[in-house]
């Protein structure tokens, strides 16, 4: 779980390039499926989907990036990347922007 002070750090980094607005999307979903046939378990599947997206806006310009590192370090790295991309100076490495 992200603490309020960590949200402040993430948004401060995301907006350091002069953005007017920033929003963070976090998804962490777990699902379990059990299939039965003739009153017997045929298959059991567990699945976890998690990810984060960060969007910043400056005037009519928009930058959006996403990843699957939900740690505070990963979120701060994502915030640094979108801030840099707003000014055309991003180093993307393993991020998708």
């Amino acid at each position: 779980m992200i603490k309020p002070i960590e949200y402040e750090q993430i948004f401060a980094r995301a907006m350091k390039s002069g953005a007017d607005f920033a929003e963070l999307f976090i998804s962490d979903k777990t699902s379990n499926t059990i299939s039965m046939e003739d009153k017997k378990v045929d298959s059991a599947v567990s699945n976890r989907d998690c990810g984060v997206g960060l969007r910043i806006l400056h005037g009519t310009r928009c930058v959006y990036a996403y990843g699957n590192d939900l740690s505070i370090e990963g979120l701060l790295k994502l915030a640094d990347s979108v801030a840099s991309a707003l000014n055309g100076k991003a180093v993307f490495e393993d991020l998708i922007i």
Side-chain angles (χ1 to χ4, degrees):
M1 177 129 218
I2 300 173
K3 300 172 187 161
I5 190 72
E6 293 171 335
Y7 281 115
E8 291 175 18
Q9 293 171 346
I10 294 163
F11 287 121
R13 286 216 194 164
M15 297 181 71
K16 71 182 176 186
S17 61
D20 301 316
F21 178 79
E23 57 187 344
L24 185 66
F25 306 90
I26 298 175
S27 174
D28 193 353
K29 176 183 168 186
T30 302
S31 62
N32 298 301
T33 305
I34 299 174
S35 300
M36 297 184 72
E37 189 173 313
D38 295 326
K39 299 182 182 180
K40 295 181 183 178
V41 174
D42 184 46
S43 67
V45 178
S46 293
N47 187 34
R48 180 176 181 211
D49 293 321
C50 65
V52 61
L54 180 59
R55 178 187 350 250
I56 59 173
L57 304 169
H58 180 54
T60 59
R61 297 178 64 210
C62 174
V63 177
Y64 179 79
Y66 65 93
N68 61 0
D69 186 350
L70 301 180
S71 70
I72 185 61
E73 295 82 12
L75 295 171
L76 291 172
K77 183 177 177 182
L78 189 69
D80 287 337
S81 294
V82 293
S84 296
L86 188 63
N87 292 326
K89 300 177 184 175
V91 177
F92 302 119
E93 296 176 17
D94 58 346
L95 298 174
I96 300 170
I97 296 182

